[in-house]
């Protein structure tokens, strides 16, 4: 049993501490036409390598899953170069984003099987001519979940079943996780093969309970993204899940990036822009990948979690997810 990284397959025991949802580089489709959007590739690589080395050396992170959708500037050769230079084990995904913010016209017109064939090819043969193989399948849905979103999700189910590859998702505005679980079940994919992402965007513990009771992994994967949820709420809800015996299903990550082409895919308020400009001037933009370790874990410990709980979430859960093993019984977790 192996995990496919951008520099080749590794054994499950080599995975180590893993961040399950972070990005290196993001470019929304169309940004490449913006004359104000500059991208200095060597400078970006140097910065990314520095940040990944810091994660590895200061916090013992060995693996980093970048679930960049195909059409959001996913660049397998760039990921490979950064992985080689930083010695971080980077895993990339196949799969598109969702209708409201992605889905190229060409692929909208394809059948579920044609889309699945692309995903299967990127998993088994590699992405384009790079030789880099995808290690997971990205699925994204909007609010509400559209018919097109469902078609791409169904294609991911076909590819997952054909290759045994696990699925990682984006949900929008803390909405749609139980619906995704129902669609995966209908598509014949077992719940424990799915990490339902961005569930921390919903403040209601009942929503989280529904996801874990459905048997999937639950993403508390926007830690530090305060625009979507205060971290106090994330910490309270995460601790509730551990206390109710669901530690084995939690994945913690931050959905950060260290490079973004051009402007954001929405208009920023003047206050938001001023904040970013100030952070950039101080050398703190984009914010670092280490935040979870320096700022969020102390919040978990204040609420009674132990280092053992945190280590188990960062180490055991990613390993079990990639292994495709069933969840442990609650009293064995
Ligand atoms: Zn993301």
């Amino acid at each position: 049993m192996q995990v496919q990284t951008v520099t080749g397959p590794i054994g499950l025991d080599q995975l180590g501490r893993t961040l399950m949802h972070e990005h290196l580089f993001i470019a929304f489709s169309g940004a490449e036409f913006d004359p104000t959007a500059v991208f200095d590739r060597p400078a970006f690589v140097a910065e990314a390598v520095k940040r990944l080395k810091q994660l590895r050396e200061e916090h013992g992170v060995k693996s980093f899953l970048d679930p960049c959708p195909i059409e959001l500037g996913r660049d397998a050769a760039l990921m490979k170069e950064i992985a080689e230079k930083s010695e971080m084990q980077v895993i990339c995904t196949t799969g598109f984003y969702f209708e409201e913010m992605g889905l190229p016209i060409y692929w909208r017109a394809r059948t579920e099987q044609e889309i699945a064939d692309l995903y299967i090819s990127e998993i088994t043969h590699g992405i384009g001519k790079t030789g880099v193989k995808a290690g997971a399948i990205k699925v994204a849905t909007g609010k509400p979940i559209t018919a097109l979103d469902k078609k791409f999700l169904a294609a991911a189910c076909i590819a997952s079943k054909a290759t045994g590859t696990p699925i990682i998702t984006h949900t929008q505005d803390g909405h749609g996780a139980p619906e995704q679980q129902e669609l995966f079940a209908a598509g014949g994919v077992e719940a424990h093969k799915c990490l339902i992402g961005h569930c921390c965007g919903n403040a209601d513990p009942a929503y989280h309970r529904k996801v874990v009771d459905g048997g999937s992994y639950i993403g508390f994967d926007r830690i530090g993204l305060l625009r979507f949820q205060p971290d106090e709420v994330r910490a309270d809800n995460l601790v509730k899940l551990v206390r109710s015996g669901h530690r084995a299903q939690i994945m913690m990550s931050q959905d950060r990036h260290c490079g973004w082409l051009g402007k954001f895919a929405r208009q920023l308020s003047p206050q938001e822009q001023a904040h970013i400009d100030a952070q950039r001037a101080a050398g703190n933009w984009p914010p670092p990948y280490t935040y979870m370790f320096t700022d969020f874990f102390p919040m978990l410990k204040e609420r009674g979690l132990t280092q053992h709980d945190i280590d188990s979430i960062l180490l055991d859960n990613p390993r079990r997810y990639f292994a495709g093993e069933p969840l442990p019984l609650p009293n064995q977790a």
Side-chain angles (χ1 to χ4, degrees), residues 109-158:
R110 304 277 71 81
T111 64
E112 280 173 16
Q113 187 62 50
E114 287 172 323
I115 300 162
D117 287 344
L118 165 67
Y119 294 179
I120 293 166
S121 175
E122 292 199 335
I123 292 163
T124 58
H125 295 105
I127 295 168
K129 293 184 171 55
T130 61
V132 170
K133 294 177 182 174
I137 303 169
K138 175 72 175 266
V139 165
T141 58
K143 181 184 179 186
I145 299 174
T146 68
L148 262 178
D149 292 344
K150 287 180 185 172
K151 178 160 92 170
F152 283 78
L153 185 151
C157 292
I158 296 171

Side-chain angles (χ1 to χ4, degrees), residues 21 23 67 138 198 255:
H21 192 135
H23 299 280
K138 175 72 175 266
H198 307 337
D255 203 6

Side-chain angles (χ1 to χ4, degrees), residues 181 190-194 211-218 245-251 316-318 320-321 324-333:
Q181 287 182 304
E190 292 169 292
H192 68 266
K193 301 281 289 185
C194 305
V211 176
V212 292
D213 287 347
S216 299
Y217 289 92
I218 183 165
H246 297 94
R247 189 182 75 193
Q249 289 169 267
I250 302 167
M251 299 287 201
D316 301 334
N317 297 357
R320 194 186 322 99
Y321 164 84
E325 286 171 12
L327 296 170
L329 297 170
N331 58 359
Q332 295 171 336

Side-chain angles (χ1 to χ4, degrees), residues 100-307:
E100 188 191 343
M101 299 188 76
L103 300 187
I105 293 296
Y106 180 89
W107 288 99
R108 290 183 186 209
R110 304 277 71 81
T111 64
E112 280 173 16
Q113 187 62 50
E114 287 172 323
I115 300 162
D117 287 344
L118 165 67
Y119 294 179
I120 293 166
S121 175
E122 292 199 335
I123 292 163
T124 58
H125 295 105
I127 295 168
K129 293 184 171 55
T130 61
V132 170
K133 294 177 182 174
I137 303 169
K138 175 72 175 266
V139 165
T141 58
K143 181 184 179 186
I145 299 174
T146 68
L148 262 178
D149 292 344
K150 287 180 185 172
K151 178 160 92 170
F152 283 78
L153 185 151
C157 292
I158 296 171
S160 175
K161 284 187 291 178
T163 60
T165 307
I167 290 173
I168 175 168
T169 81
H170 165 101
T171 56
Q172 185 74 354
D173 298 336
H175 163 93
E179 290 83 353
Q180 283 189 352
Q181 287 182 304
E182 283 167 23
L183 293 164
F184 289 131
V189 176
E190 292 169 292
H192 68 266
K193 301 281 289 185
C194 305
L195 160 53
I196 309 294
H198 307 337
C199 292
C200 55
N202 190 311
D204 183 1
Y207 180 85
H208 306 139
R209 277 307 287 270
K210 224 170 171 177
V211 176
V212 292
D213 287 347
S216 299
Y217 289 92
I218 183 165
F220 274 58
D221 50 10
R222 285 185 152 174
I223 291 164
L225 272 176
L226 308 181
R227 183 165 78 85
F228 297 112
Q229 193 76 267
D231 274 345
E232 288 75 14
V233 177
R234 286 193 178 93
D236 288 345
N237 280 324
L238 196 154
V239 170
K240 279 196 182 95
L241 285 172
V242 173
R243 296 271 173 266
S244 60
H246 297 94
R247 189 182 75 193
Q249 289 169 267
I250 302 167
M251 299 287 201
M252 289 190 288
S253 210
Q254 304 157 113
D255 203 6
R256 291 193 168 188
H257 62 87
C258 71
W260 186 289
L261 187 66
K263 305 183 175 82
F264 288 106
R266 63 186 179 90
Q267 283 295 335
L268 299 184
S269 71
Q271 293 86 343
E272 285 174 307
Q273 191 60 56
H275 170 74
I276 290 173
D277 291 344
Q279 292 293 312
R280 187 174 277 129
N284 296 328
W285 191 265
Y289 295 125
T290 50
Y291 170 87
M292 198 165 92
F293 297 86
T294 54
D295 291 64
F296 188 69
F297 291 167
M299 295 171 68
L300 295 180
K301 288 179 178 171
E302 272 168 29
R303 288 164 174 76
L305 288 206
T306 63
Q307 187 61 44

